[in-house]
Amino acid sequence: MEAPVLGAVAVVPTLLVFVLAIWSHRPIESLISGSLLGLVILHGAGFVSGLAETSLRVMTDADVAWVILVCGFMGSLIGLLMRTGATRAFTARLTRLVHSQKSALFTTWGLGIFMFVDDYLNSLAVGAAMRDISDKFRISREKLAYVVDSTAAPISVIIPYSTWGAFFGGLLVANGVAPEGQGLTVYIQSIPYMFYAWIAVFLVPVVIAGLLPALGPMRAAERRAFETGITVPPEAAKIEEANNAIVPKEGANPSLALFVVPMLTLVFATMYFDNDFLIGIYLTLGATIAAILGLRILDLHDTFDTVIDGFKTMLEPLAVLVAAFILKDVNDALGLPALVVTSVQPLLTPELLPAIIFVSMGLVSFMTGSNWGVFVIILPIVTALAHNLGADMTLVIGATLSASTFGSHACFYSDATVLTSQATGCTPLQHALTQLPYALIAAAITVVGYLAIGYL
C-alpha cells in the first residue's frame, strides 16, 4: 500500500477531538469540530460543500440507518416497559434476590452474558434494568456502566451466535478468507485467539470481588457514591432526566412477565432471523404493543405516545453516533487507517504480527470510534500481510477482532460507550475515563499474550 499523501496531518482532526472532549466534556461539539477541521484539510474553502456531501453519504448509509432504527425503537421498547411498570416489577423481584453491592454487580454481569445476541441489546436492556438496583447499594453509575459495557461487545464477540458473528462471518467469506458457507466456522476457530474480549469479560469479576481495586477516576466515582449517596454524576443530570421522563402509569399493576417475555422474545427472534437485530426489535416491539393493547394496560394513545417518547430518549446518543460516523468518513478520506498500517509495516515479522495488528488496529478503532467499519477496511490488508508472512490466519483474525473490541470498549464516542452511558445514566466521557484503566490493563495482558503465542 502506498503511504497516504497527507501523512501525519491525517491524525490532527482526531487529536483535536480528544483535546476538545477532555477540555469541554462535550462529545458532539468535539466530534463536529474534528470533522470540520478534516474537511478543511480535504476541501479548503469548499469545506461546507464537503460537509453536505459527507453528511448525506453518512445519513444514507445502510449501516447508519440500521443503528438509528435499532437504537430508536429499542428506546421505544424500554419506554413501554417503563410506562407499564414492567421494569419496576423486574427490579423489585431482583431486589429481593440481591443483598449487597457485589451481588448486584455480579447479577449485572450475568445478565450481560445472557444478552449475548447483540451488544446494543445488552447495553440498553441491562443498563435500564439495573439502574435502580445499583442505586440502592450506592454503586456509582460509572461502575455500573463499566460492568455493562464489559459484557456487551466482548460477550457478543466470543459467543458466535450474535450479530457480531453473523457480520464478521460474512465478511470473512467476502474477502476470501473462508470458503462459501464456512464464514462462521472460521470465525469460531478464531474465538480462542480473541484475547482482549476474553480478558475484558473475566476482568469484571476480579474487579467486583475487589481483587483489583478501583483505579483513578473510578475510585473518585465510587467514593462519591458511597459517601454521599449521589450515584449519578452531576454532569449526567440531563441524561438521567431523559431516562426518567417516562414514568409508570398511575394505578398500573406491574407485571414481571411483561418484562421477561419481551426480553426473551428479542433474544430468540434475533437469533431465529439470522441474528438480524432489526427484525428482532420490530417483532418484539409489535408483539409488546399488541399485548399491552390486548390486556388493556394502556390505551391506544398512551401506547403510541410512549413509543414516540421512548424513541426521543435516544436522540442525544444517536446524535453523538452520527457525528462519530461523520468523523469516521472524514478519517477514511484522510487516509488515517492506511497511514497506521503503512507506519507499522517495517516492523512486521510472523512472530510480531498478531501483537502489532492488535496495537495498530486497536489504535485506529479507538481513534475513529469504529469497530465494524475499521474491520471492513483493514481485513483485506491484514489477510494479505498474513499470507505474505505465512502467519496463522485464525490467530490474525482473532487479533484483528480483539482490536475492534478494544476500540468499541475504550473510545468515548464509540457506539457501545455512547449507548451504555445513556442506559446507565452517565456521560460518554465519564464512562470512558473511568473504564479506561481497566481497558488498558486488558490490552496490556492481550499484547503479552500475542507476543507469547507468537514466539512460543
Side-chain angles (χ1 to χ4, degrees), residues 217-228:
M218 185 70 82
R219 182 186 302 169
E222 284 292 275
R223 186 184 302 118
R224 182 201 69 230
F226 181 76
E227 293 179 356
T228 68

Side-chain angles (χ1 to χ4, degrees), residues 187-232:
Y187 181 94
I188 291 172
Q189 292 170 352
S190 303
I191 289 174
Y193 302 113
M194 298 175 190
F195 291 169
Y196 182 83
W198 287 105
I199 295 165
V201 170
F202 287 104
L203 191 63
V204 174
V206 175
V207 173
I208 295 173
L211 300 176
L212 180 63
L215 302 171
M218 185 70 82
R219 182 186 302 169
E222 284 292 275
R223 186 184 302 118
R224 182 201 69 230
F226 181 76
E227 293 179 356
T228 68
I230 301 174
T231 58
V232 180

